């Protein structure tokens, strides 16, 4: 029903735009045509036919990564689209991705400037969308060297292990052939609790405003995904006042500021009140003497890290970055990994056999055991190829540059279709088949050096949380496969399990993963 509603809304909007174009704004055709001709002089790149005003917006479809992949088969791996007033290159091959993400990485180191996204992420103090420059390098350095360095990630292993144990216990308590479980919900809760504990020292439900933060993030992400038409057709920005988008965005921003300001102020007040001999933080648990991400950020803010300084808004921006990006990557990958293992029982059995062989009768899995599980790593790599958690990477050109013989002008946006690149038959045998064996005895990795396999991006703006996400995915998946047998409700066969995606920032399942887990 929702899809039909969205279709009729889109159709009505298109008809209104066409009416305005032909009846009320006769000069737009001339201005628009001249703008496009200017762009095309510099960008003589294959491009599908476009509509007045909308350009190619209508081609994006329900799942843009799939729609753009289909277009690239007709128009090539480097394609020019006009999304309203925004020129946008679409990259769909490893060869072109290497040009953008390695050879000309600095030239394409910006993100497209979308007003909604900028306001949501404390632009320009964040890492996700801020433009390349001194401020971005400073924030990125704090994320990489202070928050998510190897030592810090390893320090969170106890949190990951404890939350994994709780997940296993929850599954055991409800494991029955007659009691299906919603793995999608469980993975979402797991991801949120791990990232909240790593950030604040407590789970979302243990923090006074924790649920409000999660709701605020979900609503904000939903608004960003649906975007404002004014971002692409500026003279239609007034529509935001009629459809409620602007009011909803203002409400999210107000809630964001109130909650994060309260978090940090209470934390600072608590630090002031605590004695030097017995420091008790609002969020942290001092019985384990752990340092959480908020400790590190506030410590930098208060001058505790020589050579590094940030203001209070940067603290809020980086906390928000971690909360938004940290939970969904791991939970989405786990969801797809379990989907494919249930769809392919022979792969599931092979992984179970490997884990048993490595453990040699042990029940619990440690870090050393994981290092020996090569097929586990291959399953995860294949999941990231087949279902990258972020389907598309967005960049923007900072300066005029020549790519593949084409002159790209400054401010041209770039969509790197990582989902399509992972299914390119020029680089992958049987790309439409889920086949972990392709990664056995292979040096291909997801750290941004193999441009036909970039599920976390590449170059300067590669995801800085790869190691953290991988720690979670490996331990959780190994435990679930080792300690449970998996099936679908009502005796359904694995091949009947759907792999329908839903649109969003992360490339997750549309329908929840409902399964039967029985203790092995």
């Amino acid at each position: 029903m929702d899809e039909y509603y969205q279709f009729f809304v889109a159709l009505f909007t298109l008809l209104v735009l066409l009416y305005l174009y032909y009846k009320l704004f006769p000069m737009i055709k001339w201005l628009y045509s001249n703008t496009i001709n200017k762009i095309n002089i510099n960008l003589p790149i294959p491009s599908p036919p476009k509509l007045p005003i909308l350009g190619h917006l209508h081609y994006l479809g329900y799942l843009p990564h799939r729609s753009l992949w289909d277009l690239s088969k007709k128009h090539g791996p480097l394609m020019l689209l006009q999304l309203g007033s925004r020129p946008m290159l679409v990259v769909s091959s490893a060869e072109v991705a290497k040009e953008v993400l390695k050879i000309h990485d600095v030239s394409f180191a910006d993100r497209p400037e979308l007003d909604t996204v900028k306001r949501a992420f404390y632009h320009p103090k964040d890492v996700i969308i801020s433009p390349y420059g001194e401020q971005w390098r400073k924030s990125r350095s704090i994320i990489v060297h202070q928050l998510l360095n190897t030592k810090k990630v390893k320090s969170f292993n106890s949190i990951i292990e404890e939350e994994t144990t709780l997940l296993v216990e929850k599954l055991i308590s409800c494991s029955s052939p007659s009691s299906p479980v919603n793995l999608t919900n469980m993975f979402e809760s797991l991801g949120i609790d791990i990232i909240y504990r790593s950030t604040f020292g407590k789970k979302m439900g243990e923090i006074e405003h924790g649920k409000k933060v999660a709701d605020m993030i979900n609503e904000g992400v939903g608004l960003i995904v649906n975007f404002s038409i004014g971002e692409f057709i500026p003279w239609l920005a007034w529509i935001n006042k009629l459809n409620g988008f602007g009011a909803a965005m203002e409400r999210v921003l107000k809630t964001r500021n109130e909650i994060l300001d309260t978090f940090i102020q209470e934390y600072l007040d608590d630090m002031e009140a605590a004695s030097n001999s017995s420091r008790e933080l609002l969020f942290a648990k001092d019985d384990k003497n752990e340092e959480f991400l908020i400790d590190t950020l506030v410590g930098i803010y208060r001058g505790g890290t020589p050579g590094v300084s940030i203001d209070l808004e940067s603290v809020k921006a980086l906390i928000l970055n971690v909360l938004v990006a940290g939970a969904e990557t791991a939970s989405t990958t786990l969801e797809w990994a379990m989907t494919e293992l249930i769809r392919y029982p022979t792969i599931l059995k092979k992984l179970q056999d490997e884990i048993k062989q490595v453990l040699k009768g042990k029940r619990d899995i440690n870090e050393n055991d994981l290092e020996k599980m090569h097929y586990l790593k291959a399953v995860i790599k294949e999941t990231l190829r087949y279902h990258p958690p972020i389907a598309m990477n967005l960049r923007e050109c900072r300066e005029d540059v020549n790519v593949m013989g084409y002159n790209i002008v400054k401010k041209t946006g770039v969509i790197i279709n990582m989902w399509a690149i992972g299914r390119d038959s020029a680089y992958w045998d049987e790309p439409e088949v889920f086949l972990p064996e392709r990664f056995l005895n292979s040096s291909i990795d997801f750290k941004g050096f193999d441009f036909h396999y970039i599920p976390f991006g590449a170059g300067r703006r590669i995801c800085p949380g790869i190691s953290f996400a991988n720690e979670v995915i490996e331990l959780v998946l190994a435990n679930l496969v080792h300690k449970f047998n998996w099936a679908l409700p009502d005796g359904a066969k694995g091949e009947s399990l759907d792999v329908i995606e839903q649109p969003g920032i992360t490339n997750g399942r549309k329908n929840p993963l409902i399964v039967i887990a029985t203790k092995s």
Side-chain angles (χ1 to χ4, degrees), residues 142-149 152 156 293 296-297 318 322:
I142 290 172
I143 289 279
V144 172
H145 299 297
Q146 306 292 332
L147 301 186
L148 295 177
N149 60 60
K152 179 72 76 175
F156 296 140
L293 299 183
T296 304
L297 286 171
L318 295 178
V322 170

Side-chain angles (χ1 to χ4, degrees), residues 410-459:
K410 183 178 178 180
K411 304 300 288 184
T412 299
V414 182
I415 298 173
I416 300 155
N417 195 339
M418 300 184 293
W419 182 91
I421 292 172
R423 299 189 180 215
D424 189 345
S425 59
Y427 295 93
W428 304 99
D429 294 331
E430 298 183 281
E432 293 300 317
V433 177
F434 186 81
L435 191 65
E437 283 76 9
R438 73 176 82 244
F439 286 101
L440 292 176
N441 302 314
S442 170
S443 62
I444 297 174
D445 209 339
F446 43 63
K447 295 182 179 179
F449 301 109
D450 302 289
F451 290 91
H452 57 295
Y453 183 61
I454 49 173
F456 293 102

Side-chain angles (χ1 to χ4, degrees), residues 89 99-101 103-111 132 394-399 401-403 408-409 412-414 416 461:
L89 297 176
E99 284 268 333
V100 172
L101 299 175
I103 297 174
H104 300 293
D105 187 25
V106 175
S107 298
F108 290 98
D110 277 353
R111 298 284 195 200
Y132 180 74
L394 301 182
R395 296 287 190 96
E396 185 173 271
C397 192
R398 303 174 59 239
E399 58 195 4
V401 63
N402 187 283
V403 175
I408 313 300
V409 298
T412 299
V414 182
I416 300 155
R461 299 199 85 126

Side-chain angles (χ1 to χ4, degrees), residues 11 17 76 167 207 214 224 354 425:
L11 181 61
L17 291 173
L167 174 64
I207 300 173
I224 290 171
E354 178 190 64
S425 59

Side-chain angles (χ1 to χ4, degrees), residues 148-440:
L148 295 177
N149 60 60
T150 301
K151 182 179 179 181
K152 179 72 76 175
V153 169
K154 293 296 182 186
S155 75
F156 296 140
N157 278 353
S158 62
I159 292 174
I160 299 171
E161 290 168 1
E162 289 169 13
E163 291 301 322
T164 301
T165 299
L166 291 173
L167 174 64
V168 169
E169 291 173 352
K170 188 185 298 183
L171 283 167
I172 290 174
S173 69
C174 59
S175 63
S176 165
S178 60
S179 301
V181 295
N182 188 327
L183 266 188
T184 296
N185 286 348
M186 287 187 172
F187 287 150
E188 287 176 355
S189 297
L190 175 77
I192 289 171
D193 283 339
I194 288 175
I195 202 64
Y196 268 70
R197 287 187 63 185
S198 301
T199 303
F200 302 122
K202 290 186 179 181
K203 297 186 181 189
M204 178 188 72
E206 298 171 345
I207 300 173
E208 181 181 354
H209 304 290
K211 183 65 165 62
K212 287 185 178 180
V213 174
D215 291 343
M216 174 269 294
I217 289 174
N218 288 336
E219 185 177 1
V221 168
L223 289 170
I224 290 171
V225 169
N226 290 313
F227 66 80
S228 159
I229 191 67
E231 300 281 14
F232 299 93
I233 307 174
W235 56 271
L236 288 178
W238 55 270
I239 292 177
N240 291 343
K241 295 181 180 180
L242 300 181
N243 63 14
F245 182 94
M249 195 66 205
E250 290 300 325
R251 184 176 64 252
V252 167
L253 295 178
K254 181 181 178 182
T255 303
R256 176 206 64 181
N257 287 333
E258 289 175 350
I259 294 175
L260 291 178
D261 285 344
T262 299
F263 269 172
I264 295 171
Q265 190 56 54
E266 288 179 348
Y267 184 93
L268 291 171
D269 292 345
D270 184 75
M271 289 185 70
E272 291 295 331
S275 66
N276 292 329
S277 60
S278 59
R279 174 172 168 263
E280 296 180 359
L281 299 180
L282 176 66
F283 300 112
K285 299 177 181 177
D286 63 347
D287 58 323
K288 294 183 180 180
N289 197 32
E290 293 175 314
E291 182 178 78
F292 303 105
L293 299 183
I294 193 170
D295 295 313
T296 304
L297 286 171
V298 172
I300 296 172
Y301 166 69
R302 292 168 63 91
T305 305
V308 184
S309 64
I310 53 175
D311 58 22
L312 205 53
E313 189 160 282
S314 294
V315 174
K316 292 189 288 185
L318 295 178
I319 287 176
L320 188 60
N321 279 179
V322 170
L323 295 179
V324 170
E328 284 201 56
T329 300
S331 60
T332 299
T333 303
L334 285 167
E335 183 182 40
W336 282 121
M338 287 304 301
T339 296
E340 297 299 346
L341 289 173
I342 292 170
R343 290 181 70 221
Y344 294 97
T346 55
I347 295 176
L348 175 58
K349 178 65 165 57
K350 186 172 181 178
L351 180 54
Q352 288 174 326
D353 290 344
E354 178 190 64
I355 295 173
K356 289 178 182 177
Q357 183 180 1
V358 170
L359 294 181
K360 297 178 181 178
K362 290 195 309 176
R363 189 67 178 167
D364 295 327
I365 301 170
N366 60 39
E367 189 175 353
N368 291 331
D369 297 324
L370 292 173
E371 287 302 313
K372 301 172 187 175
M373 297 179 186
H374 304 296
Y375 196 65
L376 171 70
K377 297 180 187 299
V379 167
I380 293 171
K381 286 182 177 181
E382 178 68 346
T383 302
L384 291 169
R385 178 195 72 85
Y386 206 56
H387 303 285
I390 307 294
M392 301 184 298
N393 194 335
L394 301 182
R395 296 287 190 96
E396 185 173 271
C397 192
R398 303 174 59 239
E399 58 195 4
D400 294 350
V401 63
N402 187 283
V403 175
M404 310 293 289
Y406 299 114
N407 295 319
I408 313 300
V409 298
K410 183 178 178 180
K411 304 300 288 184
T412 299
V414 182
I415 298 173
I416 300 155
N417 195 339
M418 300 184 293
W419 182 91
I421 292 172
R423 299 189 180 215
D424 189 345
S425 59
Y427 295 93
W428 304 99
D429 294 331
E430 298 183 281
E432 293 300 317
V433 177
F434 186 81
L435 191 65
E437 283 76 9
R438 73 176 82 244
F439 286 101
L440 292 176

